[in-house]
Amino acid sequence: MFDNRSYVKAVRVSEFGEQRFRSFDILARKIGVLRLPDGSFKAFESRCKHQGADLAQGPLVGDRVTCPRHGWIYDLGSGECVNTDSLPLRPHALKIDGDWILVATAPDEVVPQLDFEFFKIT
C-alpha cells in the first residue's frame, strides 16, 4: 500500500528511555507518543480538547491520561475522553526507521460517532 504522508523524526527509540508517554512539538502541533506493553509505539494529538494543555504533563494510569489543567481523562487506546463529552484525540501515523520514531505531520482523520436519531418526515 502506498503511503503518501509526510513524516518527521520525533525521537530515537533508544532515547525514549523508560518513559511510556512523551510529547513532541511537530510543525506547531503537540504530538504524543505512547509505548505500548508489547514495545511498539503509537502517536496521537497530545493537547486536551478543552484548553489545549499538554496531556504528557498529566498522570498516566494504565492507558488513561488525565489533563493536568481540569481533569479531563483520555483513553489513549481509543483517543476518547471518558469523563466529558468531547471529540476524540486524532491519531497520527507512526513508523520506525532504524532507531528513529517517525511521526506523520498531519493527523489521520477520525469520523466521530455522534448520537443522532433520524426521523422520516412524511
Side-chain angles (χ1 to χ4, degrees):
M1 185 169 123
F2 179 71
D3 182 359
N4 65 348
R5 293 177 278 212
S6 297
Y7 290 83
V8 295
K9 293 177 179 178
V11 65
R12 290 181 184 273
V13 173
S14 59
E15 294 173 357
F16 207 83
E18 296 300 313
Q19 291 178 290
R20 284 202 54 229
F21 180 38
R22 291 179 62 181
S23 65
F24 304 92
D25 292 314
I26 297 176
L27 299 178
R29 291 189 171 125
K30 191 64 81 173
I31 308 299
V33 176
L34 177 70
R35 181 193 313 262
L36 301 173
D38 67 1
S40 64
F41 296 90
K42 69 183 292 186
F44 45 85
E45 294 176 308
S46 186
R47 290 214 181 271
C48 179
K49 297 292 187 168
H50 180 217
Q51 289 188 348
D54 181 5
L55 295 173
Q57 301 304 311
L60 176 67
V61 177
D63 285 342
R64 291 187 173 186
V65 65
T66 301
C67 175
R69 262 193 214 151
H70 296 107
W72 287 28
I73 302 169
Y74 291 90
D75 180 308
L76 298 181
S78 67
E80 299 292 323
C81 185
V82 298
N83 66 338
T84 303
D85 287 335
S86 171
L87 291 173
L89 301 174
R90 294 180 299 172
H92 280 251
L94 174 147
K95 59 186 179 180
I96 306 295
D97 183 14
D99 190 38
W100 281 101
I101 297 173
L102 306 174
V103 176
T105 56
D108 294 340
E109 290 305 314
V110 174
V111 178
Q113 299 298 313
L114 302 175
D115 236 356
F116 287 114
E117 290 188 30
F118 293 94
F119 298 94
K120 184 176 180 181
I121 299 174
T122 57

